[in-house]
Amino acid sequence: MRYIVDLHSHSGYAGGVGNISLAGVARTMALKGIDAFGVGDCLQPAWLEKLASLLEEREPGLHALRGAEGVEAKARFVMQTEVILTSAVASGGRKGTHTLLLFPNFRAAMAGVDLLRRWEVKLAMGRPFVKCRDAGDVAEKCSSLAAIDPAVMVIPAHVMTPQGVFGSDHPVDSLAEVYGEFAREITAVETGLSSDPALLALLPELDGKTLISNSDCHSEALNRVGREFTALEIPRPSYEEIVLAIRKRRVRYTAEFDPAEGRYFLTGHRAGLAGHGAAACWYSPDCLPPGGLCPVCGKPLTLGVLDRVLHLSKVQGGGRARQLGQTPPRQEGRTLAPLTEVLAAGLGTRSASGRKAAAFFDLVVKETGTEAELWDLSPADILARFTPLLPEKVVDALVQVRRGDFSFQPGYDGEYGRLRLGEKIGWFGHAVVEKAP
Ligand SMILES: [Zn+2]
Ligand SMILES: [Zn+2]
């Protein structure tokens, strides 16, 4: 069966205040077509206790909301957290590497809390910092976490963002430089919003690893939950089967943002930085300013994902950098434009969370069942089903996206890329200094 998982979120739990409602998440999951969702921050003791009161195990390792009815009863939750492993790296200084952890049940999560306590990790934050001396120590700590239960997963998170293992912050050239010997035990990495299977296919080190994709969301909003996800093939729902599918690469496809929509795709500086005022600038790899220095403020630019991927591809060997954009990915990645954004673009509004876009979202999903199923329709079907239910411009936007007739003005330095319908904006040739109006 096809089973859709989104295994990375954050509860917003810090110092006793949770911001995310699992019932709200469950309703959004039903609209988006997500079967199982990572609870986020499951090693935060107060949140873990709350989770224990909210959830009960329904299938092995999969939890449902206690006493829920209707669509809320269908949602399944997996014990999940993200930790930041900090360690000294060869390029100097200490790197903080975001790493996803999955646990098969409450008992295993509680054992994780005990380990972190023994390492004197501060647990008040939802996403704890685990201080490690060096790669050897990272390997030892990851092995200890994995030893809690054979089904515990340790997965490098959003590998290409600045806080990911391959990101621009204290850059390294291989998984082993951060994870030491444990790099060999890693069976999967998370693509993150900034990369996808086609881009990561340029990195030989990832050849044997499964690629998964998750939303990394911090809220139950429609344009957050399941904005990226992984469609697995499993015989029956259970945590164990999810883990097996990930380890054996039984992935039907990952649903991905266009990498250019990610917040760190090109190299640049966002507006509002010291010395910038309203000016922002961004550059493609073929147009970098001398020394990678910002012409506005003179400081080093925040290196983009595209530059990092091309660099890593070169140093990891295999001569794949020239295949950018033409490598058939070894794992299917479907590029999706988030429906809320498509509707906003069709309406000519900038906000994807506006009331009108939300009302149209409900209408579309009522018609198709879930957002994921909308994109299974052909362009002709979309035209037929939504005329005259939706304004013509909105139907046109849906059809354009289904046809692939869209692109993104690339994101950079924390700014998301912007959806452009009916335009093909390439990744190269950009050297832009924009003064905001
Ligand atoms: Zn993260
Ligand atoms: Zn600057």
Side-chain angles (χ1 to χ4, degrees):
M1 65 187 286
R2 181 179 78 167
Y3 200 71
I4 295 187
V5 298
D6 174 2
L7 298 175
H8 185 171
S9 81
H10 292 278
S11 69
Y13 224 92
V17 186
N19 296 326
I20 200 162
S21 135
L22 291 187
V25 169
R27 289 191 294 276
T28 308
M29 286 168 69
L31 294 171
K32 304 282 290 188
I34 307 294
D35 296 305
F37 183 82
V39 291
D41 306 348
C42 77
L43 299 185
Q44 209 284 351
W47 177 230
L48 185 58
E49 204 173 297
K50 182 102 182 278
L51 287 170
S53 71
L54 291 172
L55 298 174
E56 60 191 355
E57 196 170 34
R58 194 59 55 85
E59 296 86 22
L62 297 179
H63 305 83
L65 284 166
R66 279 179 205 274
E69 289 172 4
V71 292
E72 288 180 21
K74 288 197 191 128
R76 292 294 179 268
F77 296 93
V78 168
M79 292 297 123
Q80 167 267 322
T81 192
E82 183 180 45
V83 295
I84 302 173
L85 303 170
T86 66
S87 60
V89 289
S91 61
R94 292 177 62 78
K95 184 176 176 69
T97 306
H98 288 206
T99 304
L100 192 61
L101 302 177
L102 304 178
F103 296 91
N105 48 45
F106 274 101
R107 204 165 5 92
M110 258 132 56
V113 173
D114 288 344
L115 262 185
L116 264 53
R117 282 214 172 101
R118 212 182 311 151
W119 297 335
E120 295 177 0
V121 171
K122 291 200 183 88
L123 292 172
M125 296 300 290
R127 179 169 51 196
F129 285 86
V130 180
K131 273 190 211 140
C132 308
R133 277 187 316 278
D134 49 23
D137 196 21
V138 171
E140 227 167 85
K141 290 197 160 78
C142 288
S143 301
S144 302
L145 285 161
I148 290 173
D149 187 295
V152 167
M153 291 288 285
V154 179
I155 300 171
H158 43 78
V159 290
M160 293 310 311
T161 67
Q163 299 77 25
V165 59
F166 289 137
S168 59
D169 190 23
H170 297 89
V172 299
D173 290 339
S174 72
L175 290 174
E177 283 179 62
V178 167
Y179 293 96
E181 303 225 314
F182 192 79
R184 269 181 281 151
E185 312 297 319
I186 291 170
T187 50
V189 305
E190 185 187 59
T191 61
L193 269 50
S194 289
S195 72
D196 67 3
L199 268 186
L200 295 183
L202 300 191
L203 309 188
E205 196 185 15
L206 298 182
D207 281 356
K209 321 265 186 221
T210 303
L211 307 177
I212 64 166
S213 199
N214 301 302
S215 69
D216 197 352
C217 65
H218 296 234
S219 94
E220 69 246 37
L222 273 174
N223 57 343
R224 294 288 182 261
V225 171
R227 58 185 170 175
E228 293 201 326
F229 60 77
T230 307
L232 300 170
E233 183 59 41
I234 59 175
R236 75 197 78 81
S238 77
Y239 174 88
E240 189 97 28
E241 292 295 348
I242 291 172
V243 165
L244 266 179
I246 292 173
R247 287 182 177 156
K248 306 269 182 213
R249 209 193 276 171
R250 289 199 291 261
V251 176
R252 281 214 191 165
Y253 64 92
T254 54
E256 306 279 354
F257 268 34
D258 185 315
E261 186 174 14
R263 295 192 294 163
Y264 299 97
F265 191 65
L266 293 185
T267 293
H269 268 166
R270 64 185 180 276
L273 287 180
H276 264 256
C281 55
W282 61 92
Y283 302 91
S284 300
D286 53 335
C287 301
L288 286 183
L293 297 177
C294 175
V296 180
C297 71
K299 297 196 185 110
L301 293 161
T302 305
L303 208 56
V305 166
L306 191 52
D307 277 297
R308 284 291 298 155
V309 166
L310 292 173
H311 165 81
L312 288 164
S313 188
K314 209 180 290 169
V315 297
Q316 290 188 2
R320 297 185 195 174
R322 264 177 284 133
Q323 297 163 14
L324 177 68
Q326 38 174 307
T327 324
R330 60 195 160 71
Q331 220 185 273
E332 188 191 346
R334 287 191 189 173
T335 307
L336 299 182
L339 177 55
T340 47
E341 277 175 48
V342 179
L343 295 171
L347 286 164
T349 59
R350 262 195 81 154
S351 156
S353 53
R355 198 177 297 168
K356 218 166 181 189
F360 284 142
F361 183 98
D362 288 345
L363 240 160
V364 170
V365 168
K366 214 167 168 190
E367 192 64 23
T368 57
T370 65
E371 178 175 338
E373 282 164 296
L374 165 69
W375 303 120
D376 288 337
L377 297 177
S378 71
D381 283 342
I382 290 176
L383 197 63
R385 298 253 308 250
F386 293 105
T387 311
L389 216 55
L390 297 172
E392 197 181 327
K393 277 194 307 188
V394 175
V395 180
D396 285 348
L398 294 177
V399 170
Q400 271 177 315
V401 168
R402 180 61 186 80
R403 285 208 180 107
D405 189 13
F406 67 97
S407 62
F408 288 86
Q409 182 185 310
Y412 60 93
D413 194 28
E415 294 285 341
Y416 283 109
R418 280 181 237 149
L419 179 62
R420 292 278 192 262
L421 294 173
E423 276 181 72
K424 282 287 173 206
I425 299 171
W427 292 352
F428 292 89
H430 299 283
V432 180
V433 180
E434 184 186 65
K435 307 241 192 284

